[in-house]
């Protein structure tokens, strides 16, 4: 047990700088626990310099020897008395030393602190704090928030968007967070021309016989608003395309290659028509442009957005299925501001010229399936295979051409781009012990129209979390580390708010961020939790889920964890048995992308969802349409708000645990197990072909084996330190820093081949589908180019990317070593 010497009367004199007075003080020998308690008391009670008074020992110490002698003589004090007092003093001193020695021996022989007691006390304290969180989070407040937030369109850069930014800022300040600020950026945004809307026309002898709807039908439940923007694809090129249609299924590269290889299709001058789904819409446009199409039309087929279609089916407003007039808006652009690539769009930024931006050259436009029927039914050509057929009441054909002469399609897009200000709202709860370590919670606040699901169900939950955190601050309850709550702007246009913020604070985040927890929308149906995670956050997520009650109160499963495990489980490659299913491929579909792919911050993206085994669709049916209303939410998505509350509870407890664990609950062995699994998949997918080109997996497998050994050894050390009462704050900090930096070891400053913005060697959005990740993306995307784009010149690049992967895995292992050099 450590010991300190504390002055009996003059601790504050030392603290305030009056060393002379302090030197006259007697000292106690006390335990480290008492020293800490006295120091804490001193810090709380004494903030101002204390002026020494001429009383007691301080006054005596300032008296001159001459005045003391005069006082002695006047009281009859003799030399004999003086000798006697000295003798008595020496004897008293000797006795004191003896007593102190015996006490010290007794202390030395006393039992050490019981780690079980200490652990139990900490666990009890954490549970009390979690109980407070659970008690305070209120679903009625979330409902109230959502009704306000989704009361008008909230598109970035519009009046409704700016109003919500200000509302969030003022609300979070009123909730009592330590600090709330706006982080604003001037970014290039894309809009449709409302005075000359985009359209698709079918012409016969140059006369318009059909034109797509310029806006969605009002169906009686959503508010009429002049603020509703017409359907469009942000950043699609303005222009006109005329010609024959070719049906390209989902518009994936394999779909185009099938038509090119098996049907001898040529695409130059043709307009592709593709159904939404399977991959990111922007990749459909890129691929159509790659194959020399003159334009592309994307539509919502009932097979993906009204699965129960038929004579007796119901659609919004009588169910959650997309009506024929519904249109999915959405960006087709890349992530981040086009004018300030790699750097934040601040007021001091240098912006490149718009003419220098490499974007799309072909027009693109979304339509509903009611309008698509009018185009697809007149197409000629061979009938498509069954896997390509949707659920419209037509015979699906490839094209090109039409079933009668003198027909053609005209696609007209009149989008424009403009620099406008968007703001992130950032709220802070300062950590009490490690304020320079951050747990970040994020959700975006902009929507294409009303956005009751995406994103405002998440925003409503985030605001309720800020209220609870503010109340805890007022009650004197603080996390160990700083919690940062973020509401991002302009996510729908391409993650603009979060990307620019990460670019501005990249250096700080790289050193200090512990984790980023993303909830884009809280709930798009009331069935099961879906979560994409960094392997490091997998176990902390499970632990948080065990603390959250099952939102279905009629179920025998009492926790979110248990119902999740029952409905969607997977094998645990690390510990054996079954665990709830998660995925490691975070993609770039929401704001976690820049944190994970560029800053190397362990991240999660989570929400309540529908049963994918029952409805195999890419998204909920009315996604990004004007029918995404509070009425829809409260009638079909989460009528009770129990599931939205469940996400808020999970989000808060997850963050609170990460903010308070003395040693972070990251398990690096999960990463090693994942990497070994991915290498097996590489061997299965490419092993035979690689052998033909003298590419071996030997070094990659050896690196994975080394990482497995290092992570096992490191976890043993972490467990020992976590269970030891003698672990110092410095030792905890050293271990936590290694855990935080472990994810960063997978960041390559050079970026991926041809895509410098993505830097994570293990996980990055697929080159051909930004919604999903590839493991070993540099390897996988290069192989994709060889297989689908006839790039036989890329074999050296494959070898290079294998080398980069081996080097990176070794580097990650080194970060966990005591020295590592």
């Amino acid at each position: 047990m450590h010991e300190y010497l504390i002055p009996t009367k003059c601790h504050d004199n030392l603290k305030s700088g009056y060393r002379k007075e302090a030197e006259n003080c007697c000292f106690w020998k006390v335990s480290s626990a008492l020293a800490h308690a006295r120091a804490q008391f001193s810090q709380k009670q004494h903030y101002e310099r204390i002026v020494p008074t001429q009383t007691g020992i301080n006054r005596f110490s300032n008296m001159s020897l001459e005045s003391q002698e005069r006082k002695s003589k006047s009281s009859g004090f003799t030399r004999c008395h003086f000798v006697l007092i000295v003798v008595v003093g020496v004897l008293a001193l000797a006795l004191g030393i003896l007593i102190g020695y015996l006490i010290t021996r007794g202390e030395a022989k006393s039992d050490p602190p019981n780690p079980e007691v200490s652990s139990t006390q900490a666990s009890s304290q954490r549970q009390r704090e979690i109980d407070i969180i659970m008690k305070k989070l209120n679903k009625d407040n979330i409902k109230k928030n959502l009704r306000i937030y989704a009361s008008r369109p909230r598109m970035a850069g519009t009046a409704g968007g700016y109003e919500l930014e200000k509302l969030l800022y003022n609300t979070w300040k009123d909730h009592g967070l330590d600090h709330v600020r706006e982080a604003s950026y001037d970014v290039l945004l894309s809009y449709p021309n409302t005075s000359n809307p985009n359209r698709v026309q079918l012409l016969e002898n140059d006369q318009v016989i059909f034109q797509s709807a310029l806006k969605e039908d009002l169906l009686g439940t959503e508010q009429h608003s002049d603020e509703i923007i017409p359907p469009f694809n942000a950043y699609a090129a303005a222009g006109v395309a005329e010609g024959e249609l070719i049906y390209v299924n989902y518009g994936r590269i394999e779909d185009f290659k099938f038509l090119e290889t098996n049907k001898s299709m040529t695409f130059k001058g043709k307009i592709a028509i593709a159904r939404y789904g399977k991959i990111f819409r922007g990749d459909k446009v890129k691929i159509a442009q790659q194959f020399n199409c003159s334009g592309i039309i994307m539509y919502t087929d009932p097979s993906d957005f009204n699965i129960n279609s038929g004579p007796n089916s119901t659609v919004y407003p009588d169910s959650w299925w997309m009506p024929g007039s519904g249109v999915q808006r959405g960006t087709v652009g890349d992530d981040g501001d086009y004018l300030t690539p790699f750097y934040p769009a601040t007021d001091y930024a240098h912006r490149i010229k718009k003419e220098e931006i490499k974007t799309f050259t072909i027009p693109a436009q979304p339509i509903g399936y009611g309008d698509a029927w009018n185009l697809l039914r007149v197409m000629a050509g061979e009938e498509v295979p069954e896997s390509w057929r949707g659920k419209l009441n037509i015979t699906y054909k490839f094209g090109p051409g039409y079933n009668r002469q003198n027909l053609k399609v005209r696609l007209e897009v009149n989008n424009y781009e403009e620099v406008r200000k968007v703001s992130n709202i950032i709220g802070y709860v300062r950590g009490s012990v490690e304020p320079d370590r951050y747990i970040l919670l994020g959700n975006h606040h902009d929507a294409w129209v009303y956005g009751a699901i995406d994103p405002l169900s998440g925003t409503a939950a985030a605001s309720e979390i800020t209220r609870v955190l503010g109340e805890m601050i007022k009650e004197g309850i603080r996390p160990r580390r700083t919690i940062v709550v973020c509401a991002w702007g302009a996510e729908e246009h391409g993650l603009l708010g979060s990307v620019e913020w990460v670019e501005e604070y990249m250096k700080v985040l790289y050193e200090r961020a512990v984790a980023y927890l993303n909830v884009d929308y809280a709930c798009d149906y009331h069935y099961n939790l879906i979560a994409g995670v960094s392997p490091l956050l997998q176990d902390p997520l499970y632990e948080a889920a065990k603390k959250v009650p099952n939102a279905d109160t009629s179920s025998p499963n009492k926790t979110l964890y248990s119902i999740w495990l029952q409905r969607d489980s997977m094998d645990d490659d690390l510990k054996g048995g079954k665990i709830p299913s998660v995925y490691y491929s975070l993609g770039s579909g929401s704001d976690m992308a820049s944190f994970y792919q560029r800053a190397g911050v362990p991240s999660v993206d989570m929400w309540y969802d529908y049963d994918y085994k029952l409805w195999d669709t890419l998204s909920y049916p009315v996604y990004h349409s004007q029918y995404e209303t509070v009425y829809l939410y409260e009638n079909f998505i989460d009528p009770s708000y129990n599931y939205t509350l469940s996400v808020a509870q999970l989000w808060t407890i997850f963050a609170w645990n990460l903010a308070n664990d003395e040693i972070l609950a990251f398990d690096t062995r999960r990463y090693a197990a994942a990497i070994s699994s991915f290498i097996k998949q590489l061997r299965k997918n490419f092993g035979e072909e690689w052998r033909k080109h003298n590419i071996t997996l030997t070094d990659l497998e050896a690196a994975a084996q080394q990482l497995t050994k290092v992570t096992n050894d490191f976890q043993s050390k972490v467990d020992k330190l976590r269970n030891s009462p003698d672990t110092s704050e410095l030792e905890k900090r050293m271990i936590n820093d290694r855990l935080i930096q472990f994810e960063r070891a997978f960041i390559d400053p050079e970026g991926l081949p041809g895509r410098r913005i993505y830097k994570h060697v293990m996980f990055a959005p697929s080159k051909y589908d930004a919604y999903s990740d590839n493991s070993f993306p540099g390897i996988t995307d290069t192989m994709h180019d060889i297989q689908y784009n006839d790039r036989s010149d890329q074999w050296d690049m494959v070898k290079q990317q294998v080398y980069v992967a081996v080097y990176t895995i070794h580097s990650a292992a080194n970060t966990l070593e005591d020295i590592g050099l």
Side-chain angles (χ1 to χ4, degrees):
M1 180 175 289
H2 300 292
E3 296 179 344
Y4 295 91
L5 293 176
I6 300 294
T8 57
K9 295 185 178 181
C10 300
H11 178 274
D12 291 318
N13 286 338
L14 268 176
K15 182 173 183 288
S16 59
Y18 288 97
R19 182 169 301 276
K20 182 177 179 181
E21 285 76 12
E23 288 172 351
N24 291 290
C25 296
C26 299
F27 289 87
W28 285 342
K29 183 182 290 183
V30 295
S31 69
S32 59
L34 179 57
H36 179 70
R38 289 177 59 83
Q40 293 284 25
F41 176 83
S42 174
Q43 289 171 10
K44 290 180 180 178
Q45 299 297 323
H46 301 281
Y47 293 97
E48 298 179 359
R49 176 169 294 186
I50 299 175
V51 179
T53 60
Q54 293 301 309
T55 60
I57 194 165
N58 286 338
R59 186 176 63 182
F60 180 76
S61 65
N62 289 329
M63 294 172 65
S64 67
L65 291 176
E66 182 180 350
S67 64
Q68 292 178 37
E69 185 177 353
R70 283 199 303 267
K71 185 174 181 181
S72 297
K73 289 180 179 179
S74 65
S75 60
F77 191 84
T78 68
R79 185 180 299 274
C80 218
H81 291 132
F82 178 79
V83 171
L84 179 62
I85 290 172
V86 169
V87 171
V88 172
V90 169
L91 292 173
L93 179 61
L95 180 61
I97 292 172
L98 178 62
I99 293 171
Y101 172 73
L102 293 175
I103 292 173
T104 304
R105 286 191 64 190
E107 288 179 347
K109 292 181 179 179
S110 63
D111 293 333
N114 186 342
E116 293 299 323
V117 173
S118 175
S119 176
T120 301
Q121 290 174 343
S123 178
S124 298
Q125 176 63 24
R126 179 75 59 82
Q127 188 57 54
R128 285 194 294 272
E129 292 165 351
I130 288 173
D131 289 342
I132 291 170
I133 290 169
M134 298 293 288
K135 182 179 179 180
K136 288 181 178 293
L137 286 169
N138 188 312
K139 68 179 184 180
D140 291 332
N141 291 335
I142 297 175
K143 178 192 290 189
K144 179 181 176 182
N145 291 342
L146 183 60
R147 289 180 173 183
I148 295 171
Y149 298 169
S151 62
R152 66 185 287 193
R154 302 296 188 181
M155 185 175 174
T158 68
Y162 291 133
E163 180 189 67
L164 185 54
E165 289 173 358
K166 189 59 65 178
L167 177 60
L168 291 172
Y169 175 79
N170 290 331
T171 300
W172 292 11
K173 283 190 70 175
D174 291 344
H175 284 165
L177 299 183
D178 289 323
H179 180 54
V180 181
R181 70 182 186 91
E182 292 183 80
S184 300
Y185 302 95
D186 297 315
V187 296
L188 188 69
L189 297 175
S190 174
Y191 299 95
N193 188 334
T194 54
S195 61
N196 187 17
N198 303 339
R199 67 201 75 199
V200 178
Q201 297 172 327
L202 180 64
L203 293 85
E204 186 169 26
N205 295 319
D206 292 327
Q207 298 297 311
V208 176
I209 60 173
F210 164 76
Q211 178 172 284
S212 62
L214 303 181
K215 58 184 179 180
E216 293 164 288
D217 293 342
L218 289 172
L219 298 179
T221 55
E222 68 281 8
Q223 294 176 288
H224 172 71
S225 174
D226 293 335
E227 294 180 322
I228 297 176
I229 60 156
F232 83 119
N233 288 130
Y235 303 105
V240 176
E242 291 186 352
E244 296 177 318
L245 287 178
I246 293 181
Y247 176 66
V248 296
N249 196 19
Y250 288 107
R252 299 166 295 187
I253 193 164
E254 55 263 40
D255 296 327
F256 277 89
K257 292 296 291 185
F258 173 84
L259 291 170
E260 183 180 63
T261 303
N262 298 294
K263 302 302 175 183
S264 301
M265 290 278 187
T266 57
F267 302 94
K268 188 174 179 61
K270 304 296 193 299
I271 300 173
I273 183 166
R275 46 181 173 162
Y276 267 133
K278 303 300 183 187
I279 66 171
F280 171 54
R281 71 186 76 81
D283 291 314
K284 299 174 191 282
V285 182
K286 289 178 183 177
I287 294 166
Q289 185 170 298
Q290 175 185 331
F291 280 84
N292 297 311
C293 292
S294 61
I296 182 170
I297 300 164
M298 293 175 283
Y299 78 99
T300 51
D301 196 284
S303 60
D304 299 294
F305 296 91
N306 183 15
I307 290 177
N308 293 337
S309 59
N312 298 319
S313 68
T314 58
V315 297
Y316 181 88
D318 298 315
S319 77
W320 80 321
W321 297 109
M322 178 79 97
S325 61
V327 183
Q328 181 190 132
R329 297 155 179 80
T331 187
V332 295
D334 293 328
D335 297 343
D337 178 44
Y338 276 107
L339 301 180
T340 59
F342 299 101
Y343 298 97
T346 56
D347 53 1
Y348 57 83
H350 170 73
R351 289 170 170 79
I352 63 176
K353 296 177 181 178
K354 288 176 64 175
E355 303 80 55
E356 298 176 14
I357 300 172
K358 294 180 180 179
T359 55
F360 300 105
T361 58
I362 64 172
Q365 177 65 15
I367 61 175
Y369 62 80
D371 286 344
W373 178 85
N374 290 282
L375 304 176
L376 294 169
R377 71 186 181 92
V378 300
M379 289 182 64
E382 182 184 342
E383 187 175 349
V384 305
E386 185 175 354
S387 63
W388 283 46
R389 297 171 194 167
K391 284 195 172 183
L392 287 172
N393 187 24
I394 60 167
T395 300
Y396 286 77
K397 296 182 178 180
F398 292 120
Y402 305 99
N403 57 16
R404 62 180 190 265
Q405 294 182 342
N406 301 319
L407 291 179
K408 66 179 178 181
V409 165
R410 185 174 191 269
L411 166 62
E412 181 182 347
V413 173
N414 298 300
N415 297 341
Y416 68 96
E417 294 163 355
E418 186 172 284
V419 173
R420 296 187 185 179
K421 186 179 294 297
V422 298
S423 294
N424 306 319
I425 310 304
I426 314 293
Y428 301 84
V429 178
R430 183 178 176 85
S432 60
V433 178
E434 297 181 84
D436 62 332
R437 294 292 182 264
Y438 321 130
I439 314 299
L440 301 110
L441 292 74
N443 158 266
H444 70 95
H445 59 69
D446 65 301
W448 287 116
V449 193
Y450 295 107
I453 297 174
D454 180 11
L456 298 178
S457 64
T459 314
S463 282
E464 174 63 0
I465 291 170
T466 66
R467 185 190 67 81
V468 170
L469 292 175
E471 288 193 2
M472 294 176 76
I473 290 172
K474 294 170 188 173
E475 294 170 11
I477 304 172
R478 283 190 176 276
R480 176 185 180 92
R481 302 180 183 91
T482 294
I483 293 176
V484 185
V485 187
C486 313
W488 307 115
E491 185 269 0
E492 296 292 8
H493 275 80
L495 319 182
L496 297 181
S498 60
V499 168
E500 301 311 305
W501 193 80
V502 169
E503 287 177 342
E504 183 169 11
Y505 296 102
M506 179 76 74
K507 307 296 185 183
V508 180
L509 292 169
Y510 202 84
E511 293 298 324
R512 301 181 180 181
V514 175
Y516 174 73
L517 314 182
N518 192 70
V519 172
D520 191 302
Y521 44 82
C523 184
D524 68 14
Y525 203 71
H526 47 272
Y527 180 72
N528 194 44
L529 187 77
I530 302 292
V533 298
S534 159
L536 295 178
L537 292 179
Q538 188 170 346
D539 292 292
L541 174 60
Y542 291 153
E543 290 307 308
K546 291 174 183 177
K547 299 292 185 181
V548 177
N550 184 2
D552 181 1
T553 56
S554 65
S555 170
N557 294 284
K558 297 306 179 185
T559 68
L560 171 54
Y561 180 89
S562 61
I563 189 63
W564 183 12
L565 180 64
Q566 176 186 310
R567 291 183 172 174
D568 191 10
S569 66
M570 66 182 190
D571 293 330
D572 187 348
D573 294 335
L574 180 62
K575 301 176 182 178
K578 294 285 187 179
I579 49 177
S581 289
V582 297
Y583 62 94
Y584 296 142
S585 302
L586 288 168
S588 66
S590 191
D591 292 299
M592 68 282 164
S594 54
F595 284 92
Y596 196 47
Q597 310 294 347
R598 298 179 64 182
V601 178
S603 299
V604 64
D605 188 28
M606 55 190 181
W607 70 99
Y608 248 99
D609 209 347
Y610 50 89
D611 184 358
Y612 279 90
K613 299 179 182 122
L614 179 63
W615 297 319
D616 184 17
T617 67
L618 180 66
S619 68
Y620 57 91
V622 298
Y623 180 62
H624 288 182
S625 73
Q626 74 176 34
Y627 306 124
E628 199 176 317
T629 60
V630 172
Y631 170 86
L632 173 90
Y633 201 81
E634 294 186 352
N635 284 274
F636 306 111
I637 305 303
D638 186 15
S640 66
Y641 280 83
N642 285 344
Y643 294 85
T644 314
L645 175 63
S646 182
V647 171
Q649 292 168 336
L650 177 64
W651 204 2
T652 314
I653 293 170
F654 194 1
W656 194 258
N657 284 343
L658 289 172
N660 286 283
D661 284 338
E662 292 191 357
I663 295 179
L664 294 167
F666 295 178
D667 192 336
T668 57
R669 296 175 301 172
R670 290 269 181 214
Y671 234 113
I675 288 173
S676 295
S677 175
F678 298 149
I679 291 173
K680 290 177 183 177
Q681 194 63 43
L682 286 178
R683 181 175 287 282
K684 178 180 177 181
N685 292 343
F686 308 125
E688 185 175 342
E689 194 169 1
W690 281 13
R691 279 191 293 273
K692 298 175 184 177
H693 292 84
N694 298 316
I695 300 175
T696 176
L697 281 159
T698 303
D699 291 336
L700 201 55
E701 289 169 335
Q705 289 169 4
Q706 183 215 9
L707 182 64
T708 298
K709 180 184 182 304
V710 169
T711 57
N712 285 335
D713 293 345
F714 181 73
Q715 189 62 40
S716 297
K717 179 177 182 177
V718 170
D719 291 341
K720 182 179 179 180
L721 290 172
R722 182 179 283 119
N723 295 324
S724 171
D726 296 324
T727 303
S728 68
E729 286 295 324
L730 177 59
E731 288 174 308
K732 295 172 188 175
R733 180 81 168 202
M734 289 170 64
I735 288 294
N736 286 336
D737 282 352
R738 285 187 228 175
L739 289 168
I740 293 169
Q741 291 299 320
F742 183 71
E743 186 87 63
R744 317 287 205 265
F746 293 98
I747 295 297
D748 186 347
E750 300 301 319
L752 297 179
R755 298 191 298 158
R756 287 178 53 214
I757 195 170
Y758 298 117
K759 301 180 181 298
H760 204 298
V761 171
M762 277 310 308
F763 303 109
S766 167
K767 188 176 181 180
Y768 299 99
D769 177 17
Y771 279 156
S772 63
D773 266 20
N774 284 331
S775 54
F776 293 113
I779 298 172
T780 305
D781 283 340
T782 306
M783 287 302 301
H784 201 287
D785 279 341
I786 291 172
Q787 293 175 327
Y788 288 100
N789 294 328
D790 302 321
R791 293 294 305 276
S792 58
D793 61 331
Q794 291 293 294
W795 282 109
D796 278 346
M797 180 59 73
V798 174
K799 295 175 183 178
Q800 166 74 5
Q801 290 305 303
V802 172
Y803 158 62
V804 169
V806 172
Y807 157 76
T808 301
I809 294 170
H810 282 307
S811 297
N814 292 339
T815 66
L816 300 180
E817 300 283 5
D818 283 344
I819 296 178
L821 296 176

